[in-house]
Amino acid sequence: MPESGPATGAQRATEAEVATSDWTQDQLKAWWRALRVMDGQDGALPQALLPPSDPAAWKTVQLPEFQQREAATSTSANARFQMRWYRLRYAAPNGRWPTSVALYMPRLVALAAAVLVKTDDGWRPVFDNQSGAREQWVRPLWVVLPAALTEIQQAREIEVVIAVPVMQAGYYSVSSVWLGAREDLEPRHDRRWVLQIGVPQATGLTLVTLGLFALLLWLKRREDSSYLLFSLATVAWLVRNLHYHLDLPRTRDALEWFWWVTHASMSWVMLLTFLFALRFARQRFARFERGMALFVLVSSLASMPLWGRGFDALVLLHICNAVVGLAGTAFVASVAWRQGTRELRVMAAALVIGVALGVHDLGLLAGWWWPEHVYLMPFATLVILASFLYAVQFRYVEALRQVERANEDLAQRLEERSVELRAQHDKLREVERQQALLLERQRIMQDMHDGLGSSLLSAMVAVEQGTMPQEQVVDVLRECVDDLRLVIDSLEPVGHDLVSLLATMRYRLGKRLQLGGLKLEWDVHDLPPLEWLEPPDALHVLRLMQEALTNALKHARASRVRVVTRDLGRRVEIRVEDDGEGFDVATIAHGRGLRGLQRRAKVLGGSLRVDSSPGHGTVVTLRLPVARADHEAVVQQG
């Protein structure tokens, strides 16, 4: 008798009355033909094809009920079939009839079933599953009784018969039956549909997407075969689950090939899965991989429907799949236990779980246990997929960590080298400073020796010999003082400012020029800074200007001297003009004094030009580059 759900109008029948009728294949075909004729039409089923009317023909059975396969059965025209009639009764709880009554069965593994409802005119079919018979084994049965039939029965109970045709000595499975309000049973049916159909379909589509992504990765990194193996495994798994996405073929030959493809692909799924997992081991196992691939290939070819229908190919495929699954999982697990990485051990654990769930499904398919359970291999796929993603993610994260460690090591080494370079640079700067001080000391000593020292020595000899009057001695000493001041001024920081240097020279020599009767005209304008102007260069400039002014004071007999500066863009110009007697430049072009001035100008990277003629005064022009890179241009244009 039916059992009520605790809080709804849905009732679960854990027992039913069953009657059986032995039929031939012709009678079964006549039954299905009669159902098709009555589809949507008024009429009655043939009396010979109706449930037994004798009460003694009925007996009570517990649900779920199933029968295991006893032997391979023939499907010839003389094959015997059995129609099993399962009778249930439904009465609304508390006399409150629902608007719509539904029938739900989690699983029904048999030939095309039908549902009949007893009316005053006899048995009336309300459901015929011939169109979905090939998928009936994996899809829950859902029947909504017509409202007209339930209305006329509201004063009493509804009598329902589920007609389940099976092959004698063949496997069948009939689960418990739920009857009740449609709104109460529909969520239960939908959940079963999701677990049994929706999850496998979603898993298959997800795997295809991930497989395409893995294929793109392999095309970019062909040296890493794990991405290709993963992609091929997803394709093989999609083939394995085609029955979740497509309607089964309608012809017998096509159906046999369909089942061969879907069952044989399971061995390829496992083979590719094992090969992918072993890519995370520390070594390769070529002999195992070749042996397993050869076994899968031979078993797939040996089980093809080409070799005749008398050979039970599906049994062979299930045996081969079991051998591949158990052997491959055991091998991967042993490798992971002995020498595997963390990701390989995670995948091995997932494979063990997959084998356990596969054994569950194999027993469910053979009718050994739990006839109302759902198939769990799609969920095993999710577990294995999660382990694969973990392995890939772990490898990716580990690669990032290695890159980070390499970057940190490189940064540390660069820092050490930077410290060493800074230390070497400091040492080099100290050496350069010491060398610069030495060179500067040598330069000053050489200048004082050639200039101040030579003048003092000449004056001292002249005084000792009495050949130089006192006035000349005073002039020599004054020149020596001026020369000493000039050297001292060149040592002062000028900040690359040529105008400041000239102003210092004017301060030092202005009084002497005035005492010599020379009027100094100062036409000096702002000039750009000369980045290269350092103390040694400043001394050369001062020497050049001193020589030009001294010549105007001592030899030109000039009354006026003019100092002019000009900014010429890439060059600057300093001119010293006097109104003295002048001279013939050609007669002194090879003189030692002029060559010395030219040498100093060349050291500065500039050029010196002397323009003079008798009676027209003298112009000394010094042109210097703003940047030393312009030295060649200055020389070419000077």
Side-chain angles (χ1 to χ4, degrees):
M1 295 300 293
E3 295 181 359
S4 299
T8 68
Q11 300 172 352
R12 180 189 180 191
T14 58
E15 66 179 22
E17 294 178 309
V18 64
T20 61
S21 303
D22 292 335
W23 283 1
T24 65
Q25 187 173 23
D26 291 338
Q27 286 177 301
L28 183 61
K29 289 181 178 179
W31 159 260
W32 283 333
R33 184 167 53 252
L35 291 177
R36 290 195 297 272
V37 170
M38 287 193 62
D39 185 18
Q41 304 291 332
D42 294 331
L45 291 169
Q47 186 66 32
L49 302 179
L50 290 177
S53 57
D54 183 6
W58 297 86
K59 64 178 181 179
T60 301
V61 295
Q62 297 296 318
L63 298 179
E65 182 192 34
F66 62 92
Q67 175 177 286
Q68 298 181 4
R69 292 181 177 87
E70 297 182 5
T73 56
S74 173
T75 55
S76 65
N78 296 323
R80 301 292 294 179
F81 295 86
Q82 185 182 78
M83 174 62 78
R84 300 183 63 83
W85 311 94
Y86 292 87
R87 185 169 63 183
L88 304 115
R89 293 178 174 85
Y90 172 77
N94 302 321
R96 299 179 61 184
W97 281 83
T99 304
S100 180
V101 176
L103 180 147
Y104 158 66
M105 296 181 66
R107 171 171 288 112
L108 178 59
V109 182
L111 301 177
V115 176
L116 310 178
V117 175
K118 191 169 186 180
T119 66
D120 295 337
D121 298 327
W123 292 103
R124 178 176 175 181
V126 296
F127 175 76
D128 176 17
N129 201 30
Q130 293 183 59
S131 61
R134 291 174 176 82
E135 295 84 17
Q136 179 178 275
W137 66 278
V138 75
R139 297 184 181 182
L141 194 69
W142 176 252
V143 180
V144 178
L145 304 184
L149 293 180
T150 59
E151 288 176 359
I152 63 176
Q153 302 292 337
Q154 288 190 8
R156 53 186 181 267
E157 61 186 8
I158 296 178
E159 187 175 350
V160 178
V161 165
I162 304 172
V164 181
V166 300
M167 296 184 66
Q168 288 188 357
Y171 168 72
Y172 67 86
S173 176
V174 179
S175 69
S176 58
V177 182
W178 290 80
L179 281 167
R182 175 177 181 172
E183 57 270 20
D184 293 334
L185 290 179
E186 197 162 22
R188 188 181 299 272
H189 166 266
D190 292 343
R191 285 194 299 270
R192 181 79 180 199
W193 180 274
V194 169
L195 292 176
Q196 207 156 279
I197 305 296
V199 170
Q201 290 179 343
T203 301
L205 296 177
T206 301
L207 283 175
V208 169
T209 303
L210 293 175
L212 291 176
F213 179 71
L215 180 62
L216 293 177
L217 290 178
W218 177 75
L219 292 176
K220 295 294 184 181
R221 293 177 50 85
R222 299 200 176 188
E223 67 278 5
D224 192 348
S225 60
S226 60
Y227 295 115
L228 177 61
L229 292 172
F230 182 85
S231 179
L232 294 176
T234 61
V235 174
W237 183 250
L238 179 64
V239 175
R240 171 68 184 88
N241 287 335
L242 282 177
H243 54 275
Y244 288 111
H245 303 276
L246 302 176
D247 290 335
L248 299 184
R250 299 302 177 185
T251 64
R252 181 179 181 82
D253 291 339
L255 185 62
E256 288 184 355
W257 280 102
F258 181 87
W259 284 126
W260 173 80
V261 168
T262 56
H263 286 79
S265 60
M266 189 63 199
S267 291
W268 292 99
V269 170
M270 292 186 291
L271 172 64
L272 294 168
T273 298
F274 298 145
L275 296 181
F276 174 83
L278 290 176
R279 291 302 178 271
F280 291 83
R282 293 188 175 95
Q283 67 180 88
R284 291 292 176 264
F285 302 91
R287 293 179 59 185
F288 169 80
E289 294 178 2
R290 287 196 296 267
M292 183 68 72
L294 181 61
F295 178 82
V296 171
L297 178 62
V298 171
S299 63
S300 299
L301 295 176
S303 59
M304 294 176 67
L306 290 174
W307 317 127
R309 296 177 182 175
F311 184 77
D312 196 346
L314 292 182
V315 175
L316 174 63
L317 282 175
H318 289 315
I319 294 174
C320 293
N321 289 340
V323 171
V324 172
L326 293 174
T329 301
F331 185 83
V332 173
S334 65
V335 172
W337 179 263
R338 295 195 315 269
Q339 56 181 359
T341 58
R342 180 192 301 178
E343 54 269 33
L344 180 58
R345 291 176 179 173
V346 171
M347 285 189 288
L351 290 175
V352 171
I353 295 174
V355 168
L357 298 183
V359 171
H360 167 275
D361 285 4
L362 186 61
L364 187 61
L365 187 64
W368 296 338
W369 48 57
W370 307 311
E372 292 193 0
H373 280 201
V374 297
Y375 291 103
L376 298 180
M377 277 306 295
F379 301 94
T381 304
L382 293 177
V383 174
I384 296 174
L385 175 61
S387 71
F388 285 2
L389 294 180
Y390 170 80
V392 174
Q393 176 265 348
F394 184 84
R395 174 179 287 185
Y396 176 73
V397 172
E398 188 62 25
L400 288 181
R401 289 174 179 170
Q402 291 178 359
V403 172
E404 291 173 356
R405 287 194 293 266
N407 289 337
E408 291 175 358
D409 182 63
L410 181 60
Q412 183 178 359
R413 293 170 59 186
L414 286 175
E415 181 63 25
E416 293 174 355
R417 296 295 182 272
S418 299
V419 172
E420 294 177 2
L421 288 176
R422 284 196 295 269
Q424 294 177 0
H425 180 67
D426 293 340
K427 292 179 181 179
L428 182 60
R429 289 184 59 185
E430 180 63 22
V431 171
E432 290 177 348
R433 190 181 68 83
Q434 295 294 338
Q435 186 177 7
L437 290 175
L438 178 60
L439 293 175
E440 189 68 13
R441 188 179 295 111
Q442 291 176 349
R443 182 184 65 80
I444 294 174
M445 292 176 63
Q446 184 66 37
D447 284 341
M448 294 184 68
H449 177 271
D450 296 340
L452 180 60
S454 177
S455 298
L456 288 175
L457 183 62
S458 298
M460 184 181 66
V461 171
V463 170
E464 288 178 349
Q465 295 177 354
T467 58
M468 181 180 292
Q470 183 178 358
E471 292 78 3
Q472 290 184 356
V473 173
V474 172
D475 289 340
V476 170
L477 293 176
R478 184 177 290 114
E479 290 178 359
C480 289
V481 172
D482 291 340
D483 194 66
L484 180 60
R485 289 174 174 172
L486 199 68
V487 173
I488 294 173
D489 290 340
S490 70
L491 297 177
E492 294 292 332
V494 296
H496 313 293
D497 189 354
L498 185 59
V499 174
S500 297
L501 184 65
L502 295 177
T504 302
M505 183 195 69
R506 176 186 179 186
Y507 173 75
R508 296 295 188 190
L509 299 180
K511 187 174 181 181
R512 184 181 173 199
L513 295 176
Q514 185 179 4
L515 293 174
L518 271 178
K519 181 181 179 183
L520 178 62
E521 297 181 1
W522 193 257
D523 189 10
V524 175
H525 302 275
D526 289 338
L527 297 175
L530 307 182
E531 298 296 334
W532 51 267
L533 187 62
E534 300 294 340
D537 306 305
L539 184 58
H540 284 302
V541 174
L542 292 175
R543 291 277 189 209
L544 287 169
M545 294 298 99
Q546 181 190 35
E547 186 69 20
L549 293 174
T550 301
N551 287 336
L553 177 63
K554 295 175 61 176
H555 307 295
R557 296 180 183 179
S559 61
R560 181 181 58 85
V561 65
R562 183 166 176 257
V563 178
V564 183
T565 61
R566 292 290 183 270
D567 182 2
L568 304 180
R570 297 173 64 184
R571 296 167 295 166
V572 295
E573 181 181 271
I574 309 172
R575 291 201 312 273
V576 178
E577 305 171 352
D578 67 62
D579 58 353
E581 296 178 349
F583 55 88
D584 186 358
V585 177
T587 61
I588 64 167
H590 303 289
R592 228 177 130 184
L594 184 57
R595 286 205 305 271
L597 296 177
Q598 295 284 3
R599 179 180 59 81
R600 288 184 182 275
K602 186 175 182 181
V603 170
L604 293 172
S607 62
L608 182 74
R609 179 174 179 176
V610 179
D611 296 309
S612 183
S613 60
H616 293 87
T618 302
V619 178
V620 179
T621 304
L622 174 64
R623 290 182 176 178
L624 300 173
V626 175
R628 280 284 171 86
D630 297 331
H631 168 52
E632 294 183 0
V634 171
V635 173
Q636 293 174 2
Q637 299 176 15

Short mmCIF file of all heavy atoms in Angstrom, two decimals, residues 421-448:
data_model
loop_
_atom_site.label_atom_id
_atom_site.label_comp_id
_atom_site.label_asym_id
_atom_site.label_seq_id
_atom_site.Cartn_x
_atom_site.Cartn_y
_atom_site.Cartn_z
N LEU A 421 80.07 47.84 -7.31
CA LEU A 421 80.36 48.89 -8.29
C LEU A 421 80.46 50.26 -7.63
O LEU A 421 81.31 51.08 -8.00
CB LEU A 421 79.27 48.91 -9.37
CG LEU A 421 79.28 47.74 -10.35
CD1 LEU A 421 78.09 47.82 -11.30
CD2 LEU A 421 80.58 47.75 -11.17
N ARG A 422 79.54 50.51 -6.63
CA ARG A 422 79.63 51.79 -5.93
C ARG A 422 80.95 51.91 -5.18
O ARG A 422 81.58 52.98 -5.18
CB ARG A 422 78.45 51.93 -4.97
CG ARG A 422 77.14 52.28 -5.64
CD ARG A 422 76.12 52.78 -4.62
NE ARG A 422 75.75 51.74 -3.67
CZ ARG A 422 74.72 50.91 -3.84
NH1 ARG A 422 73.99 51.00 -4.94
NH2 ARG A 422 74.44 49.99 -2.93
N ALA A 423 81.37 50.80 -4.56
CA ALA A 423 82.65 50.84 -3.86
C ALA A 423 83.79 51.09 -4.82
O ALA A 423 84.70 51.90 -4.56
CB ALA A 423 82.86 49.54 -3.09
N GLN A 424 83.76 50.38 -5.96
CA GLN A 424 84.81 50.58 -6.96
C GLN A 424 84.75 51.99 -7.53
O GLN A 424 85.79 52.61 -7.79
CB GLN A 424 84.67 49.55 -8.08
CG GLN A 424 84.94 48.12 -7.63
CD GLN A 424 84.72 47.13 -8.75
OE1 GLN A 424 84.38 47.50 -9.88
NE2 GLN A 424 84.92 45.84 -8.45
N HIS A 425 83.51 52.49 -7.71
CA HIS A 425 83.37 53.85 -8.22
C HIS A 425 83.93 54.87 -7.24
O HIS A 425 84.61 55.83 -7.64
CB HIS A 425 81.89 54.14 -8.50
CG HIS A 425 81.63 55.51 -9.04
ND1 HIS A 425 82.05 55.91 -10.28
CD2 HIS A 425 80.98 56.58 -8.50
CE1 HIS A 425 81.68 57.17 -10.49
NE2 HIS A 425 81.03 57.59 -9.42
N ASP A 426 83.64 54.65 -5.95
CA ASP A 426 84.18 55.56 -4.94
C ASP A 426 85.71 55.52 -4.93
O ASP A 426 86.37 56.57 -4.82
CB ASP A 426 83.64 55.20 -3.56
CG ASP A 426 82.13 55.45 -3.45
OD1 ASP A 426 81.62 56.24 -4.27
OD2 ASP A 426 81.49 54.86 -2.55
N LYS A 427 86.25 54.30 -5.05
CA LYS A 427 87.71 54.19 -5.10
C LYS A 427 88.26 54.90 -6.34
O LYS A 427 89.29 55.60 -6.27
CB LYS A 427 88.12 52.72 -5.11
CG LYS A 427 87.84 51.98 -3.82
CD LYS A 427 88.26 50.52 -3.93
CE LYS A 427 87.97 49.77 -2.63
NZ LYS A 427 88.35 48.34 -2.73
N LEU A 428 87.57 54.69 -7.47
CA LEU A 428 88.03 55.33 -8.71
C LEU A 428 87.95 56.84 -8.61
O LEU A 428 88.87 57.56 -9.06
CB LEU A 428 87.18 54.83 -9.89
CG LEU A 428 87.55 55.36 -11.28
CD1 LEU A 428 88.98 54.97 -11.63
CD2 LEU A 428 86.59 54.82 -12.33
N ARG A 429 86.85 57.34 -8.01
CA ARG A 429 86.73 58.79 -7.83
C ARG A 429 87.83 59.32 -6.93
O ARG A 429 88.37 60.41 -7.17
CB ARG A 429 85.36 59.12 -7.25
CG ARG A 429 84.22 58.92 -8.22
CD ARG A 429 82.91 59.37 -7.62
NE ARG A 429 82.93 60.77 -7.26
CZ ARG A 429 81.94 61.40 -6.62
NH1 ARG A 429 80.87 60.71 -6.26
NH2 ARG A 429 82.04 62.67 -6.32
N GLU A 430 88.15 58.56 -5.89
CA GLU A 430 89.22 59.00 -4.99
C GLU A 430 90.56 59.03 -5.73
O GLU A 430 91.35 59.98 -5.59
CB GLU A 430 89.30 58.06 -3.79
CG GLU A 430 90.37 58.42 -2.78
CD GLU A 430 90.15 59.78 -2.13
OE1 GLU A 430 89.00 60.27 -2.14
OE2 GLU A 430 91.14 60.37 -1.64
N VAL A 431 90.79 58.00 -6.55
CA VAL A 431 92.03 57.98 -7.35
C VAL A 431 92.06 59.13 -8.33
O VAL A 431 93.08 59.81 -8.51
CB VAL A 431 92.16 56.62 -8.08
CG1 VAL A 431 93.32 56.66 -9.08
CG2 VAL A 431 92.37 55.50 -7.09
N GLU A 432 90.89 59.37 -8.99
CA GLU A 432 90.83 60.48 -9.93
C GLU A 432 91.03 61.81 -9.23
O GLU A 432 91.70 62.72 -9.75
CB GLU A 432 89.46 60.47 -10.64
CG GLU A 432 89.30 59.32 -11.61
CD GLU A 432 87.92 59.30 -12.24
OE1 GLU A 432 87.05 60.06 -11.74
OE2 GLU A 432 87.70 58.55 -13.21
N ARG A 433 90.46 61.93 -8.01
CA ARG A 433 90.65 63.18 -7.26
C ARG A 433 92.12 63.39 -6.91
O ARG A 433 92.66 64.49 -7.07
CB ARG A 433 89.79 63.15 -5.99
CG ARG A 433 89.71 64.48 -5.26
CD ARG A 433 88.87 64.36 -4.00
NE ARG A 433 89.51 63.53 -3.01
CZ ARG A 433 90.45 64.01 -2.16
NH1 ARG A 433 90.81 65.27 -2.20
NH2 ARG A 433 91.00 63.20 -1.27
N GLN A 434 92.74 62.30 -6.44
CA GLN A 434 94.16 62.41 -6.10
C GLN A 434 94.99 62.73 -7.34
O GLN A 434 95.92 63.55 -7.29
CB GLN A 434 94.64 61.09 -5.47
CG GLN A 434 94.02 60.76 -4.13
CD GLN A 434 94.42 61.75 -3.04
OE1 GLN A 434 95.44 62.43 -3.14
NE2 GLN A 434 93.59 61.84 -2.00
N GLN A 435 94.63 62.09 -8.45
CA GLN A 435 95.36 62.36 -9.70
C GLN A 435 95.13 63.79 -10.16
O GLN A 435 96.06 64.46 -10.65
CB GLN A 435 94.92 61.36 -10.77
CG GLN A 435 95.73 61.46 -12.07
CD GLN A 435 95.31 60.42 -13.07
OE1 GLN A 435 94.33 59.71 -12.86
NE2 GLN A 435 96.06 60.28 -14.15
N ALA A 436 93.86 64.25 -10.03
CA ALA A 436 93.58 65.64 -10.43
C ALA A 436 94.35 66.62 -9.57
O ALA A 436 94.88 67.64 -10.07
CB ALA A 436 92.07 65.90 -10.32
N LEU A 437 94.40 66.33 -8.25
CA LEU A 437 95.19 67.21 -7.38
C LEU A 437 96.65 67.22 -7.77
O LEU A 437 97.31 68.28 -7.79
CB LEU A 437 95.04 66.76 -5.92
CG LEU A 437 93.65 66.98 -5.28
CD1 LEU A 437 93.64 66.37 -3.88
CD2 LEU A 437 93.33 68.47 -5.22
N LEU A 438 97.17 66.03 -8.11
CA LEU A 438 98.57 65.95 -8.52
C LEU A 438 98.81 66.71 -9.81
O LEU A 438 99.78 67.48 -9.93
CB LEU A 438 98.95 64.48 -8.68
CG LEU A 438 100.38 64.20 -9.16
CD1 LEU A 438 101.39 64.76 -8.17
CD2 LEU A 438 100.62 62.71 -9.36
N LEU A 439 97.90 66.52 -10.79
CA LEU A 439 98.06 67.24 -12.06
C LEU A 439 97.93 68.74 -11.87
O LEU A 439 98.66 69.54 -12.49
CB LEU A 439 97.01 66.74 -13.07
CG LEU A 439 97.16 65.28 -13.53
CD1 LEU A 439 95.99 64.89 -14.43
CD2 LEU A 439 98.49 65.11 -14.30
N GLU A 440 96.97 69.14 -11.00
CA GLU A 440 96.79 70.56 -10.75
C GLU A 440 98.03 71.15 -10.08
O GLU A 440 98.49 72.26 -10.41
CB GLU A 440 95.55 70.78 -9.89
CG GLU A 440 95.13 72.23 -9.72
CD GLU A 440 94.62 72.84 -11.00
OE1 GLU A 440 94.36 72.10 -11.98
OE2 GLU A 440 94.50 74.07 -11.05
N ARG A 441 98.56 70.38 -9.13
CA ARG A 441 99.78 70.84 -8.46
C ARG A 441 100.93 70.97 -9.47
O ARG A 441 101.69 71.96 -9.47
CB ARG A 441 100.14 69.86 -7.35
CG ARG A 441 101.28 70.34 -6.46
CD ARG A 441 101.57 69.32 -5.37
NE ARG A 441 100.44 69.18 -4.45
CZ ARG A 441 99.70 68.10 -4.37
NH1 ARG A 441 99.96 67.04 -5.12
NH2 ARG A 441 98.68 68.05 -3.53
N GLN A 442 101.03 69.97 -10.35
CA GLN A 442 102.10 70.02 -11.36
C GLN A 442 101.88 71.18 -12.32
O GLN A 442 102.84 71.85 -12.73
CB GLN A 442 102.14 68.69 -12.12
CG GLN A 442 102.62 67.51 -11.29
CD GLN A 442 102.56 66.20 -12.05
OE1 GLN A 442 101.97 66.14 -13.13
NE2 GLN A 442 103.16 65.15 -11.48
N ARG A 443 100.61 71.43 -12.68
CA ARG A 443 100.34 72.54 -13.61
C ARG A 443 100.70 73.88 -12.99
O ARG A 443 101.33 74.74 -13.63
CB ARG A 443 98.85 72.53 -13.98
CG ARG A 443 98.44 73.60 -14.97
CD ARG A 443 96.95 73.57 -15.19
NE ARG A 443 96.20 73.90 -14.00
CZ ARG A 443 96.01 75.15 -13.57
NH1 ARG A 443 96.51 76.18 -14.24
NH2 ARG A 443 95.31 75.38 -12.47
N ILE A 444 100.27 74.04 -11.72
CA ILE A 444 100.58 75.31 -11.06
C ILE A 444 102.09 75.50 -10.93
O ILE A 444 102.63 76.60 -11.17
CB ILE A 444 99.88 75.34 -9.68
CG1 ILE A 444 98.36 75.38 -9.88
CG2 ILE A 444 100.36 76.56 -8.88
CD1 ILE A 444 97.60 75.27 -8.58
N MET A 445 102.76 74.41 -10.56
CA MET A 445 104.21 74.51 -10.44
C MET A 445 104.85 74.83 -11.77
O MET A 445 105.80 75.65 -11.86
CB MET A 445 104.78 73.20 -9.89
CG MET A 445 104.39 72.91 -8.44
SD MET A 445 104.98 71.31 -7.87
CE MET A 445 106.76 71.55 -8.00
N GLN A 446 104.33 74.20 -12.88
CA GLN A 446 104.89 74.48 -14.19
C GLN A 446 104.62 75.91 -14.61
O GLN A 446 105.51 76.60 -15.15
CB GLN A 446 104.29 73.51 -15.22
CG GLN A 446 104.87 73.63 -16.62
CD GLN A 446 106.33 73.21 -16.66
OE1 GLN A 446 106.73 72.28 -15.97
NE2 GLN A 446 107.14 73.90 -17.45
N ASP A 447 103.36 76.41 -14.35
CA ASP A 447 103.05 77.79 -14.71
C ASP A 447 103.90 78.77 -13.92
O ASP A 447 104.40 79.77 -14.47
CB ASP A 447 101.56 78.07 -14.44
CG ASP A 447 100.68 77.44 -15.52
OD1 ASP A 447 101.19 77.13 -16.60
OD2 ASP A 447 99.47 77.25 -15.26
N MET A 448 104.07 78.51 -12.65
CA MET A 448 104.88 79.41 -11.83
C MET A 448 106.34 79.35 -12.23
O MET A 448 107.05 80.37 -12.22
CB MET A 448 104.73 79.04 -10.35
CG MET A 448 103.31 79.28 -9.82
SD MET A 448 103.17 78.96 -8.06
CE MET A 448 104.16 80.29 -7.39
#
